[in-house]
Amino acid sequence: MNLTLKVWRQANASDKGGFVTYKAENISPDMSFLEMLDVVNEDLLKKGTDPIHFDHDCREGICGMCSLYINGRPHGPKRAITTCQLHMRSFKDGETITIEPWRATAFPVIKDLAVDRSAFDRIQQAGGYVSVNTGGVPDANEIAIPKVIADEAFNSATCIQCGACVAACKNASAMLFVSAKVSQLALLPQGQPERYRRVQSMVAQMDAEGFGGCTNTGACEIECPKEISMTNINRMRRDFFTAKLFKEEEI
């Protein structure tokens, strides 16, 4: 396959940046999208040109690092996958592919396609944990949790913190990510003692980071590689309003 790439190049967060066109030639349709970029970068290095900077790590759809906006969609044209799981057979020979970074005030560009997503880490640090003493590890069947609740908590916990929900949202909202992290603990007995303090702290940090508000368009759920449900957003809102009305704490 021979492809034309329009890649966003930006030296740093203060640089204006712009698209640069590259040719990707003799690309195997069985390559992953990241492998294709590796080939392009090898060619750029041979020419003495600065390679395209992009985030990656496990390349197995687990770490959430491969944050690329491809042809107007986070992680490209396929649903429920990350960029590293996207293969070049999803494109046609001769096609032009536009590649951009996540675009959100809370995700400043580090260089080219790599962005700083440490805002997510700070939201987690604000309350996405259990700090109370829960004792030793109990037997698996000692704490009775209905399967439907356990499944819901597990589904929420599959969030890989990639930021696709923010990239897909017209408001750059982080509600799906935050609600998933709130829900995975709020649904379980171990998360109950800090349930209302947690949601207040994490929402406050989300707002402080500069993420936009949720307007329920549903783009976040559609583009999430782990198919996190918007039901989590409803749960978080309910807990937040309950906290503000009856259990407000200084945070």
Side-chain angles (χ1 to χ4, degrees), residues 78-98:
K78 299 291 185 178
R79 287 196 64 177
I81 62 170
T82 53
T83 303
C84 61
Q85 297 172 305
L86 176 68
H87 289 84
M88 298 313 298
R89 53 180 171 267
S90 300
F91 303 92
K92 297 178 181 178
D93 185 32
E95 188 172 347
T96 297
I97 304 174
T98 302

Side-chain angles (χ1 to χ4, degrees), residues 28-78:
S28 168
D30 295 324
M31 283 183 179
S32 74
F33 198 88
L34 297 188
E35 288 172 331
M36 180 275 293
L37 288 178
D38 290 337
V39 171
V40 173
N41 275 344
E42 286 176 6
D43 187 52
L44 292 177
L45 286 169
K46 289 176 182 177
K47 295 176 181 177
T49 303
D50 189 34
I52 300 164
H53 291 250
F54 60 94
D55 280 328
H56 63 92
D57 193 0
C58 74
R59 300 200 178 199
E60 295 180 348
I62 299 171
C63 70
M65 290 289 290
C66 50
S67 48
L68 298 182
Y69 204 77
I70 304 166
N71 285 349
R73 293 187 65 178
H75 299 304
K78 299 291 185 178

Side-chain angles (χ1 to χ4, degrees), residues 120-189:
F120 273 6
D121 295 327
R122 290 189 289 272
I123 292 172
Q124 275 283 83
Q125 291 161 5
Y129 50 83
V130 173
S131 65
V132 297
N133 185 0
T134 58
V137 179
D139 291 335
N141 61 351
E142 188 172 328
I143 301 177
I145 301 174
K147 185 177 186 302
V148 64
I149 298 298
D151 288 346
E152 186 73 13
F154 180 83
N155 291 338
S156 300
T158 59
C159 171
I160 56 175
Q161 202 167 313
C162 67
C165 53
V166 176
C169 179
K170 64 180 182 179
N171 304 319
S173 172
M175 288 284 278
L176 191 67
F177 160 73
V178 178
S179 65
K181 296 303 180 182
V182 166
S183 291
Q184 72 182 64
L185 297 175
L187 288 162
L188 299 176

